[in-house]
Amino acid sequence: MIKNTLQKIYLGLIFILLYAPIITLVVLSFNNSKTRAKWGGFTGKWYVALFQNEQIMNALYTTLIIALLSALIATLIGTAAAIGIQAMRKRVRTAMMAVTNIPMLNADIVTGISLMLLFIAFRFSLGFATILMAHITFNIPYVILSVMPKLKQTNRRTYEAALDLGASPIYAFFKVVFPDILPGVFSGFLLTFTMSLDDFVITHFTKGPGVDTLSTKIYSEVRKGIKPEMYALSTLLFVSVLILLILVNVSPSSKEGSTRKYVSKKSKAARFVFRRLVPAVMAIVIIAGGFFYGSKRSVSGDNQVIVYNWGEYLDPEVITMFEEETGISVVYEEYETNEIMYPKVQSGAIAYDVVCPSDYMIQRMIENDLLAEINFDHIPNIKNIGTQYMEQSRQFDAENKYSVPYCWGTVGILYNKKMVKEPIDSWSVLWDETYKDNILMQDSVRDAFAVALKYLGYSLNSTDLDELEAAKALLIEQKPLVQAYVIDQVRDKMIGNEAAIGVIYSGEAIYTQLENPDLEYVIPKEGSNVWIDSWVIPKNAKHKENAEAFINFLCRPDIAKMNFDYITYSTPNIEARKLIEDPAIRNSTIAFPDASELERCETFQFLGDENDVLYNELWREIKSK
């Protein structure tokens, strides 16, 4: 009795571990709130939004097409290769199989980087074609591995007998050999289709702008905060697989007995419906939907502009308006950090036309001769950018030749007034043991060191080893008090009252206050970071005039105001600020702090590669403690 009870409890725990995450996902897909930390009521709007979201649906379409094409081509090549290897002498065959197995033993990251470097060396533009070639390459060995055992089981004498009876080699192969190896061929196809469908690492290194698979799209969403539409998509994928499994397992089979003939006819019809018709309809719907969304992707030759921007950092409606007004097609790609963006631009593998780096990264790109000078005759709307922001930009773009300010803000402390005893005005609260396990720190080397350096009274651009060691010691001392090192997750955690204090960007603070009025934002009295993200044009841009037209469009007051409403980060566009209707937002001290507060703030500067290495080494020491 006790044994049975324990077995049931054990089985129940297994099911909870397996299905609790899926149930959570399904529930979140019906949550009316954008944040997973807050239940906003039941809704089905995310499913509607999913099918209206061209980026996600294009990612699904691209994933299915690449998986299908790569699996088919790899199966053809792999089967032919297996037949050729089987015909070799034993020693040569053994050597060839060893060579074939090497790619399967290689780490995906090695394969991905190697293929990327190969494509760059041969001057291939990274995009759909390079992803497809990469997937075919890593799929072929798996087909060979699946087909070879079946080839070993075939009787060569039967094939030779068919030839002796007058059959042609091709006819004899398809009538004698192919039926025997078909299960291996089919297994190879299914294996490669599944692996291609699921691949992230190799795709990440070989993809180009405007091309995303589900894996790369989900990765980018996780880094910046998952959209609710992704919950809806994951739920639909789970339900689709579940339906297929049910159909396969509950479809009727033939029964023996006196009514065998009647049951057989009924079973045949049922099996046709359950095993073929319904899956076929599902496949047709998915493929037709994929082609529908794929046909909507704009491919306009040279009349385009390739934009590389932060995630969730531009209103999608603005892109639509720009395309309609100018006839220029926008290919849009997102990144999560400056450090991810920089090597892709530096490599030259992708010719981006417009990029939006932060201040210190712009300085680095200028020093490394990666940027083109902007022709401001093509950007008359630059007049709308406040002179103070153009002056501030001189800290990283000395002559204002390479950049146009887009958004700006500060880094400060967000705290919950119900969980914090008194108003906060200093970084010192981050070392207050009263709030142990209730403090959120930025998981960013420069931001974390900026907090410690400013608290100690030093510059956040310090390269003095003694000052940096003191900051490191302070961050190590703080570590036991920290609940988590996060980036975008600080927003959801603070909205959901999961922490009392968090280091956050000002634009995020505005959004959190709209969701949770108990939250307050402050720039500490010791000073902080004031940052500017600006539009630049890489030196290898192929559509420079279109890039300048795009930047000019974004400097238009009504467009800048649309983007401010969408991303809630402060705009340097003076005329756009005048268009903000809500006086509480227009005069917000978070979005537009007083000049006296900004006097004690600094802008990050590029400190050189050696100091970058030093900062990263010290940060690793902190995180490893």
Side-chain angles (χ1 to χ4, degrees):
M1 182 69 179
I2 296 175
K3 184 178 180 181
N4 289 337
T5 303
L6 290 174
Q7 287 177 341
K8 289 178 181 179
I9 292 173
Y10 177 74
L11 188 62
L13 288 173
I14 295 295
F15 273 93
I16 288 172
L17 290 172
L18 286 173
Y19 292 103
I22 296 173
I23 293 170
T24 303
L25 186 90
V26 173
V27 171
L28 287 173
S29 73
F30 293 103
N31 182 13
N32 195 37
S33 173
K34 277 190 173 183
T35 172
R36 58 184 178 274
K38 177 182 176 183
W39 177 255
F42 183 88
T43 183
K45 67 180 181 181
W46 304 124
Y47 289 87
V48 176
L50 169 65
F51 290 100
Q52 294 175 341
N53 190 316
E54 290 188 23
Q55 289 185 352
I56 293 176
M57 297 309 295
N58 279 334
L60 174 61
Y61 157 78
T62 304
T63 302
L64 293 172
I65 295 301
I66 286 178
L68 183 62
L69 288 178
S70 65
L72 283 172
I73 296 171
T75 300
L76 290 172
I77 296 173
T79 301
I83 293 168
I85 293 172
Q86 181 63 22
M88 296 176 178
R89 295 177 182 175
K90 186 176 180 180
R91 288 185 179 180
V92 179
R93 183 167 65 243
T94 302
M96 285 299 300
M97 286 302 298
V99 171
T100 301
N101 290 335
I102 290 175
M104 292 188 290
L105 300 175
N106 248 348
D108 281 354
I109 192 169
V110 174
T111 303
I113 293 174
S114 301
L115 287 169
M116 180 188 71
L117 294 174
L118 180 68
F119 293 141
I120 292 173
F122 283 92
R123 300 189 180 279
F124 288 166
S125 296
L126 298 184
F128 182 92
T130 52
I131 297 175
L132 181 60
M133 286 189 283
H135 280 229
I136 293 169
T137 302
F138 79 75
N139 276 339
I140 289 173
Y142 292 95
V143 177
I144 295 173
L145 187 69
S146 298
V147 175
M148 282 299 291
K150 293 298 179 183
L151 278 171
K152 291 178 181 178
Q153 295 172 10
T154 58
N155 190 336
R156 183 174 179 83
R157 293 178 182 177
T158 307
Y159 172 74
E160 291 173 349
L163 294 179
D164 291 340
L165 292 172
S168 66
I170 294 176
Y171 184 84
F173 170 77
F174 280 105
K175 288 295 183 180
V176 177
V177 179
F178 190 70
D180 288 340
I181 66 171
L182 183 58
V185 174
F186 187 64
S187 296
F189 172 79
L190 289 179
L191 178 61
T192 54
F193 180 83
T194 303
M195 293 189 63
S196 180
L197 206 65
D198 193 48
D199 175 73
F200 164 72
V201 175
I202 294 173
T203 305
H204 175 73
F205 285 104
T206 56
K207 82 183 195 72
V211 182
D212 260 315
T213 63
L214 279 179
S215 60
T216 58
K217 186 65 181 171
I218 290 171
Y219 171 77
S220 65
E221 294 294 332
V222 169
R223 295 283 295 179
K224 66 185 184 232
I226 301 176
K227 292 179 182 177
E229 292 95 318
M230 298 305 294
Y231 299 135
L233 175 61
S234 300
T235 300
L236 289 177
L237 290 174
F238 168 72
V239 171
S240 298
V241 173
L242 184 63
I243 290 173
L244 287 173
L245 287 173
I246 292 172
L247 290 175
V248 169
N249 286 282
V250 306
S251 57
S253 58
S254 299
K255 294 182 180 179
E256 301 293 336
S258 58
T259 57
R260 181 175 179 180
K261 186 176 181 181
Y262 170 75
V263 174
S264 178
K265 289 181 179 179
K266 186 178 178 181
S267 297
K268 285 181 180 178
R271 280 200 301 272
F272 174 78
V273 171
F274 282 100
R275 291 190 175 181
R276 297 188 180 182
L277 183 60
V278 175
V281 169
M282 292 177 68
I284 290 170
V285 169
I286 292 172
I287 294 171
F291 278 105
F292 170 73
Y293 286 101
S295 65
K296 295 177 73 173
R297 291 198 301 181
S298 52
V299 181
S300 306
D302 287 335
N303 194 28
Q304 64 178 357
V305 58
I306 303 174
V307 181
Y308 200 25
N309 192 16
W310 296 84
E312 294 292 301
Y313 215 43
L314 190 146
D315 188 341
E317 185 61 27
V318 166
I319 294 177
T320 303
M321 291 174 63
F322 175 77
E323 290 178 328
E324 290 175 351
E325 291 187 25
T326 64
I328 299 171
S329 172
V330 178
V331 177
Y332 193 78
E333 187 174 0
E334 299 176 341
Y335 59 89
E336 297 81 46
T337 67
N338 285 294
E339 286 67 30
I340 289 175
M341 172 277 301
Y342 180 78
K344 293 189 75 172
V345 174
Q346 183 188 39
S347 71
I350 303 171
Y352 294 108
D353 298 313
V354 187
V355 185
C356 187
S358 300
D359 31 49
Y360 72 95
M361 191 56 72
I362 294 173
Q363 180 186 349
R364 183 181 186 182
M365 297 172 84
I366 293 171
E367 290 181 9
N368 287 289
D369 196 29
L370 296 178
L371 300 182
E373 291 187 21
I374 296 173
N375 184 349
F376 286 95
D377 291 338
H378 295 158
I379 308 180
N381 286 329
I382 191 73
K383 64 184 180 184
N384 298 315
I385 304 298
T387 54
Q388 66 268 39
Y389 304 108
M390 296 301 294
E391 282 300 314
Q392 189 176 339
S393 295
R394 289 183 181 275
Q395 295 183 44
F396 52 87
D397 181 5
E399 299 178 50
N400 286 141
K401 295 193 300 184
Y402 298 97
S403 61
V404 174
Y406 174 56
C407 288
W408 70 280
T410 58
V411 176
I413 295 175
L414 185 72
Y415 65 96
N416 191 310
K417 291 181 286 187
K418 287 187 175 181
M419 301 171 71
V420 176
K421 298 176 181 178
E422 55 190 22
I424 290 174
D425 67 351
S426 169
W427 291 118
S428 62
V429 74
L430 299 176
W431 281 264
D432 189 337
E433 292 191 3
T434 306
Y435 304 108
K436 184 177 181 179
D437 293 328
N438 263 314
I439 297 171
L440 301 173
M441 277 291 287
Q442 283 287 318
D443 191 12
S444 162
V445 54
R446 289 300 298 270
D447 286 324
F449 268 90
V451 169
L453 288 167
K454 295 302 287 186
Y455 178 41
L456 291 169
Y458 304 137
S459 167
L460 52 75
N461 291 306
S462 175
T463 57
D464 184 279
L465 186 57
D466 291 336
E467 293 178 359
L468 293 177
E469 285 290 348
K472 182 189 82 170
L474 197 61
L475 290 170
I476 291 174
E477 178 189 332
Q478 180 208 30
K479 196 172 178 183
L481 308 179
V482 175
Q483 180 193 110
Y485 292 91
V486 292
I487 301 179
D488 294 325
Q489 296 95 325
V490 64
R491 177 180 63 189
D492 289 339
K493 282 179 171 288
M494 292 300 293
I495 290 172
N497 299 314
E498 296 178 35
I501 302 168
V503 178
I504 197 170
Y505 299 109
S506 55
E508 295 287 313
I510 295 173
Y511 173 79
T512 60
Q513 283 191 327
L514 295 174
E515 293 288 325
N516 186 342
D518 292 326
L519 300 177
E520 190 68 49
Y521 176 81
V522 63
I523 300 173
K525 61 186 179 184
E526 296 90 352
S528 184
N529 167 230
V530 57
W531 51 267
I532 295 181
D533 290 342
S534 302
W535 293 109
V536 299
I537 300 176
K539 208 162 191 176
N540 65 338
K542 295 181 179 179
H543 315 100
K544 188 171 184 289
E545 289 191 9
N546 288 351
E548 290 165 344
F550 183 77
I551 295 173
N552 185 59
F553 186 78
L554 295 179
C555 290
R556 214 170 76 185
D558 59 323
I559 300 301
K561 198 264 183 180
M562 282 180 65
N563 282 324
F564 171 77
D565 290 339
Y566 183 78
I567 61 178
T568 68
Y569 280 98
S570 307
T571 175
N573 195 303
I574 302 300
E575 297 303 315
R577 182 178 175 183
K578 294 177 183 178
L579 298 177
I580 301 173
E581 297 176 0
D582 187 347
I585 300 295
R586 186 172 62 248
N587 302 315
S588 167
T589 55
I590 299 177
F592 306 102
D594 188 81
S596 61
E597 288 194 273
L598 296 179
E599 286 177 1
R600 57 181 186 268
C601 295
E602 296 179 79
T603 300
F604 280 132
Q605 295 178 3
F606 174 56
L607 305 175
D609 292 329
E610 289 185 4
N611 287 312
D612 264 2
V613 171
L614 175 61
Y615 265 84
N616 288 323
E617 184 179 325
L618 294 173
W619 183 237
R620 281 194 297 271
E621 291 178 20
I622 294 167
K623 296 295 286 289
S624 64
K625 294 294 184 179

